[in-house]
Amino acid sequence: MHPLELPFSRAGHDRAAHRRTEPDLVGRLRADPSTRVLALHGGRLAVVGQEIPRATLLPPAALLDAPVDASWAFLGEADGTAYLSVVLPDGDETLPPGAAAWAGLRQIVLGQSGALAAAEPDVVLVHGLSVAAVALAGWHSTHRRCGRCGEPTAVVQAGWARHCPVDERETYPRTDPAVIMAVVDDADRILLGHAATWPAGRFSTLAGFVEAGEALEDTVRREVAEETGVVVGTSPGDVVYRGSQAWPFPASLMLGFRARAVATAVQTDDEEVTDARWFTRDELAAAAASGEVGLPGRHSIARALIEEWFGRELPAR
């Protein structure tokens, strides 16, 4: 099987982690006119373009009026250019000069998915920087205090850690691993589920978070059994890794798998999943084309897993 094409997993920059401990790295880069900056506010990015928004890389001069409590971070470098992010504080939504609007990462990815698939280097670069910036901003927003003693923490390592002055320890961004799987039976049907919180008719692959001390393959089997009653095999090759996708909403890493069912009777848990169905290719194509079934967006690993099984793109609706 060929690798999955996953928009949220593309990057064109070097994170240059070795530079994060350089003295006043962010301050020096802010003073360098060749540096470029991604601006964020309320989880959204400053963009250019209306119908197809794209995160814009601004010169430091465009952020000269940024509030003193804005949060800066070093994202990395590419071809001799350094990149920063700045998270503007809540309240004033004034756009920096050179930006047209604020837009969420999902909206940007959907607009740029074609360019990403074609591997246009400049689009891939900005996209990779944007994913990192949104993930990092989300972590900082929920980790302002020490998890051990509750004291306020200070940003260190160019935005990639927070230091507690009481415990004298540093905390680093964490990512929550979650599995997501295309479950297929011996008749080559795919199992899709409907979550309790979704609009009527929406179906997708099953997914769930990895629990403490649990192997990824065991998570796949447990989640499928808990949500649908379907049994995934334990033989070699019954659970196959297919790819990963950063999912910073707020802090997940989606680990994609193809899983083989050895018992196909469906009994949903009616809490997280209220409906689950087996589909042949013809059945899914007809249901998607008619609008009876709504599928996940093209930016998602769920859609990639489904279309990998299907063999080509499915209707967009």
Side-chain angles (χ1 to χ4, degrees):
M1 288 186 284
H2 297 291
L4 297 178
E5 217 22 91
L6 303 172
F8 276 76
S9 299
R10 304 291 292 277
H13 68 286
D14 177 1
R15 293 189 174 219
H18 64 281
R19 298 197 61 187
R20 295 172 187 170
T21 55
E22 291 182 14
D24 193 28
L25 174 62
V26 170
R28 290 186 288 110
L29 293 178
R30 288 175 63 182
D32 184 344
S34 70
T35 299
R36 288 297 176 264
V37 184
L38 282 173
L40 298 91
H41 181 276
R44 298 174 297 165
L45 290 145
V47 301
V48 292
Q50 297 295 329
E51 292 186 5
I52 303 179
R54 177 175 174 181
T56 182
L57 295 170
L58 302 166
L63 282 307
L64 287 177
D65 295 330
V68 293
D69 57 343
S71 179
W72 293 80
F74 171 64
L75 298 177
E77 54 194 17
D79 297 325
T81 299
Y83 297 94
L84 301 176
S85 65
V86 59
V87 180
L88 303 177
D90 294 339
D92 186 5
E93 294 192 16
T94 302
L95 283 160
W102 298 106
L105 186 57
R106 283 186 177 91
Q107 183 182 0
I108 295 168
V109 173
L110 282 172
Q112 296 294 327
S113 58
L116 283 163
E120 294 181 14
D122 59 333
V123 176
V124 171
L125 171 64
V126 177
H127 179 74
L129 292 167
S130 300
V131 173
V134 169
L136 194 57
W139 177 76
H140 279 293
S141 71
T142 57
H143 289 76
R144 300 184 186 279
R145 291 182 175 271
C146 176
R148 180 177 295 171
C149 70
E151 284 295 312
T153 54
V155 177
V156 294
Q157 294 196 29
W160 286 91
R162 298 187 75 97
H163 178 77
C164 176
V166 175
D167 289 341
E168 289 295 330
R169 72 186 188 106
E170 292 185 353
T171 304
Y172 299 88
R174 294 291 184 266
T175 298
D176 299 322
V179 297
I180 183 165
M181 41 276 177
V183 181
V184 179
D185 69 2
D186 288 340
D188 207 18
R189 299 179 301 172
I190 193 169
L191 178 67
L192 300 180
H194 171 78
T197 58
W198 290 350
R202 181 181 175 188
F203 280 79
S204 185
T205 50
L206 305 176
F209 285 104
V210 180
E211 293 188 345
E214 187 175 43
L216 298 175
E217 294 83 357
D218 289 337
T219 307
V220 169
R221 298 183 181 99
R222 175 181 56 78
E223 286 288 345
V224 173
E226 287 178 355
E227 294 181 350
T228 67
V230 169
V231 179
V232 170
T234 58
S235 299
D238 284 344
V239 178
V240 179
Y241 175 72
R242 297 301 303 124
S244 66
Q245 181 180 61
W247 197 250
F249 307 111
S252 297
L253 175 65
M254 306 301 294
L255 300 154
F257 291 87
R258 173 81 69 90
R260 172 178 169 266
V262 296
T264 59
V266 173
Q267 179 62 59
T268 58
D269 63 10
D270 292 334
E271 293 182 5
E272 293 185 51
V273 174
T274 57
D275 189 11
R277 304 180 197 172
W278 289 102
F279 293 90
T280 65
R281 288 176 178 80
D282 287 345
E283 289 169 344
L284 186 59
S290 69
E292 175 190 347
V293 166
L295 295 173
R298 295 201 184 281
H299 60 292
S300 67
I301 189 171
R303 183 63 169 249
L305 288 166
I306 294 169
E307 291 186 340
E308 181 187 47
W309 162 82
F310 189 74
R312 63 180 190 275
E313 286 190 357
L314 281 156
R317 60 184 299 174

